Amino acid sequence: MTRALAKAILALAMGSLGADRGGWARAMAAECDAAEADGRLLGFALGCLLGAWRILPQHREGRFTLLRHAFSLGMLLPMAALLAVAAILGLPWIEAPNGVAWLLVGNSGSGSLLNAGSRSVAPALTLVLLQLSACHLPLAWWMLDRDWNRVAAAARFGAAAMVTLLIVTACAALNVTALLLPCTMIGVEFAAVLALASMQSRQDRHAADRNCSKSV
C-alpha cells in the first residue's frame, strides 16, 4: 500500500514538472529504485512532489496548472455547492424576502410563489437546478485532467440547463430576476472555460513549435 501511494505521488511530481524539465523527471524515475531499496521511497516521493510544486510558478505549464486548480477548486466546486443549496431551499419558486443572504442561512418566513395552476412545475425547476449543480463536479475533474472535449460537453449541458430553467421560470409567471446571480456566475464560468481552453491551445502550439525547432 505504501509503495503504491509513493508511486502515485512520484507520478504526480513528475507530471508537475512540465515538458521543459523532462530531464528532472527522468532523474526522479532513475533514483526511485535506489530510494526503494533504502526503504525511503515514500519520503523520496514526497520530497520530489514538494520540489516540483515549488517551481510550478516558474514555468508556463506550471502556471497554467495552478490556474486550472484555482478555477476548479475556487470557482466550480463552490458554485456546485451553492446551486445545490439553492435547489434544496426552493430557488426560484420560493419567496425570499431577505434577498440573496437566504441562500446561506435559509429563511423560515419564505413562501411558495406558485399558484394552483403552476405548482406542478416545482419538481422540474428543482431537478434542473440540481442537474446544473451536479454538472459542475465532472466539469471540475475534466478541467484538471485537461479533457477539453468533455469540458465543452459539460459547459454546453450547463448552458442548456440554465436556458431551460429561465424558460420554465418565465412560463410559470415567476420573477426571473431571482436567477440573475446564477446566470451571471454561469456566464463568468463559461467565459473562463473558453479562456482556459484558448490558453491550452496556444500552449500546445508553443510546445509543438519548440519540438519542431529541436528536431531540425
Side-chain angles (χ1 to χ4, degrees):
M1 185 67 179
T2 302
R3 184 177 186 274
L5 177 61
K7 290 287 187 179
I9 293 174
L10 188 61
L12 179 61
M14 293 169 65
S16 301
L17 288 173
D20 291 339
R21 289 172 171 79
W24 290 21
R26 289 189 293 271
M28 287 181 183
E31 186 69 20
C32 178
D33 293 336
E36 185 175 8
D38 293 341
R40 54 184 182 88
L41 180 58
L42 183 58
F44 172 74
L46 289 172
C48 290
L49 182 61
L50 291 176
W53 282 358
R54 194 159 39 238
I55 64 172
L56 275 176
Q58 301 177 15
H59 58 94
R60 183 193 299 265
E61 292 182 31
R63 290 190 293 270
F64 186 62
T65 297
L66 291 175
L67 183 60
R68 285 187 291 108
H69 279 75
F71 178 69
S72 297
L73 301 178
M75 179 72 174
L76 294 180
L77 295 185
M79 188 62 180
L82 185 61
L83 288 172
V85 170
I88 293 171
L89 294 180
L91 184 77
W93 53 274
I94 292 294
E95 185 180 15
N98 291 338
V100 177
W102 76 286
L103 290 177
L104 300 178
V105 299
N107 189 340
S108 58
S110 60
S112 176
L113 297 173
L114 298 172
N115 55 36
S118 60
R119 198 165 296 147
S120 60
V121 304
L125 290 171
T126 301
L127 179 61
V128 172
L129 200 56
L130 285 174
Q131 289 177 332
L132 187 60
S133 170
C135 85
H136 281 69
L137 301 180
L139 177 59
W141 176 260
W142 293 329
M143 177 71 67
L144 295 178
D145 200 36
R146 292 184 294 183
D147 192 339
W148 298 107
N149 290 330
R150 289 181 174 177
V151 166
R156 288 193 297 269
F157 177 85
M162 197 72 243
V163 171
T164 301
L165 192 61
L166 288 170
I167 292 173
V168 176
T169 300
C171 290
L174 296 175
N175 186 5
V176 295
T177 58
L179 298 175
L180 181 60
L181 179 61
C183 285
T184 302
M185 296 302 292
I186 295 296
V188 171
E189 284 181 8
F190 292 164
V193 167
L194 290 175
L196 289 171
S198 177
M199 290 175 61
Q200 179 69 62
S201 179
R202 290 196 300 270
Q203 184 172 295
D204 291 343
R205 287 197 300 270
H206 177 76
D209 293 341
R210 185 174 61 244
N211 292 334
C212 288
S213 63
K214 287 181 179 179
S215 62
V216 173

